[in-house]
Amino acid sequence: MVAIFAGTMQLTKDQVVCLPVLQSTVNSKAQPGTSGKADFTTVETTTSQGEEASMRTVSFGSAPTGTPDVPLSRATSSQYQPTETGQELKKEQKDSSGRKTNLDFQQYVFINQMCYHLALPWYSKYFPYLVLIHTIILIVSSNFWFKYPKTCSKIEHFVSILGKCFESPWTTKALSETACEDSEENKQRLTGAQSLPKYVSTSSDEGSPSASTPMITKSGFKFSADKPMIEVPSVTILDKKDGEQAKALFEKVRKFRAHVEDSDLIYKLYVGQTVIKTVKFIFILCYTANFVNTISFEHICNPKVEHLIGYTQFECTHNMAYMLKKLLISYISLICVYGFICLYTLFWLFRIPLKEYSFEKVREESSFSDIPDVKNDFAFLLHMVDQYDQLYSKRFGVFLSEVSENKLREISLNHEWTFEKLRQHVSRNAQDKQELHLFMLSGVPNAVFDLTDLDVLKLELIPEAKIPAKISQMTNLQELHLCHCPAKVEQTAFSFLRDHLRCLHVKFTDVAEIPAWVYLLKNLRELYLIGNLNSENNKMIGLESLRELRHLKILHVKSNLTKIPPNITDVAPHLTKLVIHNDGTKLVVLNSLKKMTNVAELELQNCELERIPHAIFSLSNLQELDLKSNSIRTIEEIISFQHLKRLTCLKLWHNKIVNIPSSITHIKNLESLYLSNNKLESLPAAVFSLQKLRCLDVSYNSIALIPVEIGLLQNLQHFHITGNKVDVLPKQLFKCVKLRTLSLGQNCITSIPDKVSQLLQLTHLELKGNCLDRLPATLGQCQLLRKSGLVVEDHLFDALPSEVKEVLNQDTSIPFANGI
């Protein structure tokens, strides 16, 4: 404003007025009776467009006794003639009102302009422009961090988020509940309340796990016998819209912190511009103070244009001098104020470390003790906000707390997942048990634990799952699934799970995701582990000790093992079933199997085994062996199975077996033999000497002939030969009168013998994909066969006699099995 005002005045009114200094040739001594002072002459010029300038001299004091000087231009002026007489001089004095200079208007204009540039100090002429330049520099210095691309966006984003956090209803709710909790705790301390609320257990409970047991540790909420947890009712009701906005704010704050906290560009820029402003202030103050005295009203001008004007020296006046001096003093005053602010800012910048910000005071005043301290630009912005109002930072800190975020999620979750909604999601599984599957939620709704009749609970992709003491109400709960869900449990909840849980499924990406309390469930019967147990350098990632699982019977591991984990031997004495499903990684070391003498069922699937492991032959109690999806080519070692007297089921399906050795006859007690999806071309007669065989599956091989010896298998109930090259069915097949399932699909069979009617217990017959022209009418004599169990082309079924179709279409309430 000073620059604009001074510049306007200078452009409109700024000028100098000059008069020549006359050289006197007469004696200027004062006459007796005079005051003895020199004459003072004021010269005035009155100009008007088209008129000549008239000059007059006004004398003050005593009249001069000498004769006035004769102008130098008298020789060139014809209207003034020299005179020597005193009478003429007296007459001239009477007639003229001042001294004449014989200069015309153009000469005065010329000399005024010359002296404006020569006699006037440069600071008087350029003061407004200097002020304007300095002001622009200071404005740029003060606002550069708001305009610089790498800082302005962060600042604007921060201010936007800060305002939303301040106005969010969740902030008010969280701080209000904190105040309520503090008052409740003080009340409890004063009254000495000793009773604990329902579902909350203390560390002194009998049967509690050791100190190393992973329990829920809530930041900001402490559970102890001396300071019980008080359930505080909600002070305000947070509607769904406010809850969603608050959750979005948590995400914005998290991303903003990650983006800003890793650099200190804003801080450096602010320090740099403050230093520049301070240096600029000192510079302006130093040189401006020196020029205050140079602004003067009167100036002496020697333009050296005597050949044009006739005078060598002029005395000039500057009409803006007093105004400029006052404006300069005002400018210096404003600069001093500005400079003191810059100095204080520098003091504030270096008085405390502004690249670190602590929420310690907020943590002490609230229950959110997990609010983290921040650094770099994030800390600097919060320090800046504190200069305005510390309440902003306090409210902002609520959105940095994980406890606050989890509480918000819990409120929103419980608001959305009511008891009625959860009841609608309960279903019956294959085992006819009530099951609830929760997928990708922010936590476990409280209403889940009111489903007291629930048998199976599945929690999938719930990273913040917490199991409270309220789970003790679910007395029917025996099976729990944790899929990528590292759940935390309270002490009372752990005690309940330890005593009641029978089956646990844990699916994980890293072994560290397995909750540590899993290894302490002493009454657990079945444990299913699905995830990565092998590192990149093929080093085994050790499971924690399984020694506490004293009642574990079934262990299922689906991973990428190269050897059987040594910790499995901790449960070897009582383990009855071991299942290892690899992802194609070759299982090399199997020596640990020898210690599992009580294992009755063993599955080693997709382990890239090329032969039957010798360690298996020492499992004297083995009843079922499954080596599915390996690379076994030969099974000559099968003779060693004769030592396994209890082996009744052998599954060698999905391998590369070419033939079956005759030594298979030594497995006298074999009841089920699965050899599907191999490369068999024939069935040896030795297979049909297994008199106890009830199930034979040789589907999807290259078998072209069914041996007539199949009639020897009088106990055979299920025969599968789908996907081979069989073209003729031997009549001896129909001597297996106990057959319930007969799968003959996708072969080259041209006809079905009428003796199929002998299979009175047949419930499932697959014939689809053959070269049949018709079906035998005797199918109607298979008393248990119905249309639902007959897999055949529609046109063949339609060609059957109507009475046969009527029999096959009948409903029956007689239970039957479709296979094993």
Side-chain angles (χ1 to χ4, degrees), residues 508-522:
F508 53 91
T509 303
D510 186 83
V511 70
E513 296 178 16
I514 302 176
W517 52 267
V518 167
Y519 304 103
L520 302 174
L521 301 173
K522 64 180 183 180

Side-chain angles (χ1 to χ4, degrees), residues 24 85 108 138 193 255 281 394 452 485 490 595 624 767:
S24 179
T85 64
Y108 276 109
L138 293 175
K255 290 182 178 179
F281 150 71
K394 182 177 181 180
T452 54
C485 180
E490 292 183 4
K595 300 179 181 179
E624 181 177 331
L767 298 172

Side-chain angles (χ1 to χ4, degrees), residues 35-270:
S35 63
K37 293 182 180 180
D39 295 340
F40 293 89
T41 303
T42 302
V43 181
E44 296 182 359
T45 61
T46 304
T47 62
S48 62
Q49 190 172 4
E51 295 182 354
E52 296 290 338
S54 61
M55 308 294 295
R56 62 192 177 93
T57 304
V58 181
S59 299
F60 299 91
S62 302
T65 58
T67 305
D69 294 338
V70 179
L72 293 174
S73 59
R74 177 179 293 180
T76 61
S77 177
S78 61
Q79 55 181 320
Y80 298 103
Q81 300 295 329
T83 177
E84 299 291 340
T85 64
Q87 292 180 353
E88 292 178 352
L89 290 173
K90 291 178 180 179
K91 185 179 180 180
E92 183 179 348
Q93 288 178 352
K94 290 180 180 179
D95 295 340
S96 63
S97 59
R99 295 183 177 183
K100 295 184 179 180
T101 60
N102 296 329
L103 295 178
D104 59 17
F105 177 74
Q106 294 296 334
Q107 290 172 318
Y108 276 109
V109 173
F110 173 75
I111 200 63
N112 288 346
Q113 293 181 353
M114 286 289 293
C115 289
Y116 182 84
H117 293 286
L118 294 177
L120 212 61
W122 70 270
Y123 194 76
S124 297
K125 294 181 288 185
Y126 300 111
F127 164 70
Y129 308 104
L130 288 173
V131 174
L132 183 60
I133 292 172
H134 293 323
T135 304
I136 291 174
I137 294 174
L138 293 175
I139 289 175
V140 171
S141 298
S142 298
N143 295 278
F144 184 65
W145 71 319
F146 288 119
K147 304 301 179 184
Y148 187 60
K150 292 187 178 180
T151 59
C152 68
S153 60
K154 295 179 182 178
I155 296 170
E156 291 173 1
H157 195 190
F158 175 74
V159 172
S160 173
I161 294 176
L162 189 68
K164 292 178 181 177
C165 292
F166 189 83
E167 297 172 357
S168 173
W170 171 246
T171 314
T172 306
K173 178 178 176 62
L175 295 178
S176 300
E177 288 190 354
T178 296
C180 288
E181 287 171 7
D182 292 341
S183 63
E184 288 291 338
E185 289 173 1
N186 292 334
K187 184 178 179 181
Q188 287 294 329
R189 275 199 297 271
L190 291 173
T191 57
Q194 299 296 327
S195 60
L196 294 179
K198 193 175 182 181
Y199 306 132
V200 178
S201 63
T202 64
S203 56
S204 60
D205 289 344
E206 184 179 356
S208 297
S210 62
S212 60
T213 305
M215 297 292 106
I216 288 183
T217 56
K218 294 186 178 180
S219 300
F221 298 93
K222 297 180 180 179
F223 295 85
S224 65
D226 297 331
K227 187 178 177 182
M229 177 61 189
I230 305 300
E231 294 184 3
V232 183
S234 297
V235 178
T236 58
I237 299 176
L238 201 68
D239 60 25
K240 186 175 181 180
K241 182 180 179 181
D242 292 336
E244 292 300 323
Q245 291 177 348
K247 285 193 283 187
L249 273 178
F250 273 106
E251 187 65 24
K252 286 183 179 179
V253 170
R254 187 183 300 109
K255 290 182 178 179
F256 180 80
R257 179 188 175 191
H259 180 59
V260 176
E261 199 174 15
D262 60 350
S263 69
D264 57 353
L265 179 61
I266 298 178
Y267 173 77
K268 289 180 178 178
L269 203 60
Y270 188 79

Side-chain angles (χ1 to χ4, degrees), residues 497-509:
L497 293 174
R498 182 189 58 194
D499 297 335
H500 293 81
L501 199 62
R502 296 294 179 264
C503 180
L504 177 63
H505 295 248
V506 183
K507 189 175 182 179
F508 53 91
T509 303

Side-chain angles (χ1 to χ4, degrees), residues 475-537:
T475 53
N476 288 341
L477 184 66
Q478 293 190 350
E479 185 174 341
L480 179 63
H481 294 246
L482 301 176
C483 302
H484 302 288
C485 180
K488 298 179 181 178
V489 297
E490 292 183 4
Q491 286 182 341
T492 304
F494 168 76
S495 300
F496 172 79
L497 293 174
R498 182 189 58 194
D499 297 335
H500 293 81
L501 199 62
R502 296 294 179 264
C503 180
L504 177 63
H505 295 248
V506 183
K507 189 175 182 179
F508 53 91
T509 303
D510 186 83
V511 70
E513 296 178 16
I514 302 176
W517 52 267
V518 167
Y519 304 103
L520 302 174
L521 301 173
K522 64 180 183 180
N523 286 326
L524 198 65
R525 300 291 191 272
E526 303 177 24
L527 177 60
Y528 296 80
L529 300 176
I530 305 173
N532 183 18
L533 288 174
N534 216 35
S535 60
E536 294 180 357
N537 55 3

